[in-house]
Amino acid sequence: MSAQNNPPKIAVPYLLTPGPLTTALSTKQAMLRDWGSWDGDFRAMTARMRQQLLAMVNDQDNEFDCVPMQGSGTFVVEAMLSSLLPRGSKTLVLINGAYGKRIAETLKYLGRDHTIIDKGDYLPPRGNEVALLMRNDPAISHVVVVHCETSSGILNPIEEISEAVYENGGKLLIDSMSAFGAIPLEVGRPRYEAIVSSANKCIEGVPGFGFIIARKSELEMAKGRSHSLSLDLYAQWKTMNETGQWRFTPPTHVVAAFMEALALHKSEGGVSARGNRYGQNRDVLVEGMRKLGFETLLKDRWLSPIIVTFFNPADPKFKFDKFYELMKQKGFIIYPGKLTIVDSFRIGCIGNLDAKVMQKVVEAAGESLKEMGVERADPPQKALDERAVLAA
Ligand SMILES: *Cc1c(COP(=O)(O)O)cnc(C)c1O
């Protein structure tokens, strides 16, 4: 019997991870045909995709454009930074986790002058701190901030940061990788020059490309600036506008899947409905986990609907690797923590899942604790002391 007539039974776990994430069946099915990258049908698909993404930022004055770029999110962040930051410029990078750190590291590779505000694992960078630094260092022309810092799950206060940046004559670039599509980011609200996100986060596509939505005047100025042939945002933009094509082999199937994901996003009710579903996922998760004794790293005010960090329980019988395996056996892939001071793990709220699934996640966590012989999941006092410094 051929494998096709008798497909192997595959376990389909829920990915409670911030991308790749759980996708809809129809999104996966959209990859079941081949596309010629030069073909008119694929070019039309690319054009529709760019339009639909632009529509999500409500660019009424037609001042922005959307440029897709091959690669994972980091490639696309690098394309944005290398193309939109002038070579002689000085950039302030706001850091409170791994993704902010990665931006500063990218600027080192690119040889772009920069300074940082590093708030550690979970404190938000604040508008007044940005204003103070910019007043003291007039060379700073650009600021880069991470919207939802996926390492802790904190939703950074980009409104007050944007105000501080523009009041002090700067320009703002936003890494909205894990927030775009679920948290509103319309042009001017807050003000920005460019944002970047990718296919496999809140739009719920599969991995393979990202996109930059940038002010056209900024894109024009990027001509000849990039250090990299393949990551040259200006060249990609110009070629796409002139020929409808990506400069190099596009991830055709991924784009096709993304179109289905965009259609599902729209039929769900767009950004606000998607954000509401993720918010409910988070609420069910956090409430249920707290009943088991778990506690969140962040106070409620800073909890994003994207991903939640929980402290590891104090009970020495709790071992994360074991917990991970037990959760996996029950159909849920969770995510290790990324904090430096206390042990933690993360559970993502994004992807094609709802409150009912989250209830099951909580039940699975309870059973897994029992199987490890852990009675209560309360965190160690050290973790709570650490958290107490977080501003209310
Ligand atoms: C996912 C993510 C990225 C990109 O990571 P890749 O692994 O390169 O896709 C960048 N910034 C943030 C905030 C993210 O969540």
Side-chain angles (χ1 to χ4, degrees), residues 113-146:
D113 192 13
H114 62 280
T115 182
I116 61 169
I117 293 178
D118 190 343
K119 300 296 301 273
D121 277 343
Y122 48 78
L123 292 173
R126 301 307 300 255
N128 56 359
E129 297 166 329
V130 173
L132 190 68
L133 215 105
M134 290 184 79
R135 278 201 292 274
N136 288 336
D137 188 350
I140 294 170
S141 56
H142 291 73
V143 177
V144 189
V145 65
V146 178

Side-chain angles (χ1 to χ4, degrees), residues 311-325:
F311 294 122
N312 284 6
D315 189 327
K317 289 198 283 298
F318 181 91
K319 298 277 182 286
F320 176 76
D321 291 350
K322 182 77 185 149
F323 185 63
Y324 180 92
E325 279 308 320

Side-chain angles (χ1 to χ4, degrees), residues 143-198:
V143 177
V144 189
V145 65
V146 178
H147 193 177
C148 171
E149 177 45 87
T150 324
S151 358
S152 63
I154 193 167
L155 198 53
N156 282 326
I158 57 168
E159 292 77 13
E160 63 178 48
I161 289 167
S162 171
E163 267 173 40
V165 169
Y166 286 95
E167 270 167 19
N168 289 282
K171 290 177 172 178
L172 183 65
L173 310 179
I174 303 175
D175 171 355
S176 186
M177 202 68 62
S178 61
F180 184 80
I183 295 172
L185 198 54
E186 294 189 0
V187 163
R189 307 167 63 191
R191 192 168 164 193
Y192 56 77
E193 305 305 311
I195 59 162
V196 54
S197 185
S198 78

Side-chain angles (χ1 to χ4, degrees), residues 286-336:
V286 169
E287 195 192 324
M289 293 292 275
R290 280 184 178 152
K291 279 191 190 139
L292 296 173
F294 284 105
E295 200 36 84
T296 58
L297 165 75
L298 300 174
K299 293 192 176 166
D300 291 1
R301 174 181 168 190
W302 299 106
L303 280 180
S304 71
I306 308 300
I307 188 166
V308 181
T309 298
F310 294 97
F311 294 122
N312 284 6
D315 189 327
K317 289 198 283 298
F318 181 91
K319 298 277 182 286
F320 176 76
D321 291 350
K322 182 77 185 149
F323 185 63
Y324 180 92
E325 279 308 320
L326 291 168
M327 289 296 284
K328 185 174 173 183
Q329 280 168 20
K330 295 168 183 57
F332 302 109
I333 305 279
I334 61 171
Y335 213 48

Side-chain angles (χ1 to χ4, degrees), residues 98-124:
Y99 292 101
K101 279 199 181 118
R102 189 178 295 173
I103 287 168
E105 200 187 349
T106 308
L107 294 184
K108 261 187 216 152
Y109 270 78
L110 296 174
R112 295 288 200 284
D113 192 13
H114 62 280
T115 182
I116 61 169
I117 293 178
D118 190 343
K119 300 296 301 273
D121 277 343
Y122 48 78
L123 292 173

